[in-house]
Amino acid sequence: EVQLLESGGGLVQPGGSLRLTCAASGFIFSDYVMTWVRQAPGKGLEWVSTITGSGDSTYYGDSVKGRFTISRDNARNTVYLQMNTLRAEDTAVYYCAKPPYTFYWWFDSWGQGTPVTVSS
Amino acid sequence: DIVMTQSPDSLAVSLGERATINCKSSQSLLYSSNNKNCLAWYQQKPGQPPKLLIFWASTRESGVPDRFSGSGSGADFTLTISSLQAEDVAVYYCQQYCTPSLAFGQGTKVEI
């Protein structure tokens, strides 16, 4: 059974940094892209970032490009989201998600999310 | 980047009636390698992560009731709930996966 467990969320001041972690189990981790999606309070889903299975390629949404960095440790079955220069508008629940197939990026497995609040 | 726009933002449907949600993309989602449309639909209930309903625009995920169906091609797509049940109250999102810059629609809230 696929399991995705996010952690690392919390309260941080504007301009601060936070690193989110998604621990995965139940599948061959290195075979799959991993993605972060966020949801601001009362708002819709926003794609944040994706990393390929090898970690060679990364992709970012315009709102986080240059501030967030996605990475993975295939030996630890973990994907990370390093978030720097945080802004109030980054306040959201952050989900990690996995597709059912290597090459097609819809998502059938999601974590429960970790909340991030950016406020002074 | 591809922009996804859903309509309406919300709708109220009587139990047992049909609910129709539209999703329009800013460019064609026809995937040339298999002639399918790279569009997925999700259902999200409060306090829960999204749940996959449909992929390739019209393929129902295993375990999803057959009252949910997806249709459309190119840049215009529809999610239909043929006979709304109380447990279908949720927000529904479309998502394109044709390009690595993924995108979701803004969501459509379905109420009784």
Side-chain angles (χ1 to χ4, degrees):
Chain A
E1 178 193 5
V2 171
Q3 291 194 339
L4 302 172
L5 184 61
E6 304 96 335
S7 61
L11 175 63
V12 60
Q13 292 189 339
S17 298
L18 211 55
R19 189 177 83 156
L20 305 184
T21 297
C22 174
S25 61
F27 62 100
I28 302 174
F29 185 69
S30 59
D31 281 355
Y32 295 88
V33 305
M34 294 297 293
T35 288
W36 288 95
V37 174
R38 70 183 181 183
Q39 186 168 37
K43 302 297 185 183
L45 302 173
E46 180 187 10
W47 170 69
V48 174
S49 183
T50 296
I51 186 168
T52 55
S54 63
D56 288 348
S57 296
T58 57
Y59 307 90
Y60 298 94
D62 287 342
S63 62
V64 307
K65 205 171 294 183
R67 300 188 299 123
F68 289 12
T69 302
I70 191 171
S71 62
R72 65 192 295 157
D73 183 341
N74 285 346
R76 295 177 184 270
N77 287 1
T78 301
V79 60
Y80 304 99
L81 186 68
Q82 177 67 44
M83 305 186 296
N84 298 332
T85 320
L86 282 161
R87 307 166 179 165
E89 53 265 35
D90 296 317
T91 295
V93 173
Y94 286 72
Y95 296 101
C96 70
K98 168 200 167 290
Y101 304 104
T102 300
F103 298 111
Y104 304 121
W105 299 356
W106 70 84
F107 304 101
D108 66 336
S109 299
W110 297 73
Q112 288 300 308
T114 186
V116 171
T117 302
V118 183
S119 174
S120 55
Chain B
D1 291 352
I2 299 176
V3 177
M4 308 298 293
T5 305
Q6 291 181 227
S7 63
D9 289 334
S10 65
L11 75 161
V13 176
S14 300
L15 288 173
E17 295 300 307
R18 178 184 300 261
T20 301
I21 300 168
N22 301 301
C23 175
K24 182 182 286 287
S25 60
S26 60
Q27 57 188 269
S28 175
L29 300 185
L30 188 62
Y31 193 61
S32 56
S33 66
N34 62 4
N35 208 37
K36 296 182 179 182
N37 292 273
C38 33
L39 182 101
W41 288 97
Y42 300 87
Q43 174 194 68
Q44 188 182 32
K45 298 180 179 179
Q48 297 183 19
K51 174 189 174 183
L52 176 68
L53 296 176
I54 285 169
F55 52 94
W56 292 128
S58 60
T59 302
R60 204 177 300 115
E61 171 74 337
S62 175
V64 172
D66 60 7
R67 63 180 180 273
F68 291 92
S69 64
S71 63
S73 185
D76 290 282
F77 301 91
T78 300
L79 175 70
T80 301
I81 310 172
S82 60
S83 176
L84 192 76
Q85 305 300 302
E87 60 265 32
D88 300 334
V89 169
V91 180
Y92 293 84
Y93 297 91
C94 59
Q95 178 226 328
Q96 73 82 17
Y97 51 91
C98 277
T99 68
S101 292
L102 306 175
F104 291 90
Q106 81 275 18
T108 295
K109 186 174 185 179
V110 174
E111 300 172 303
I112 303 293

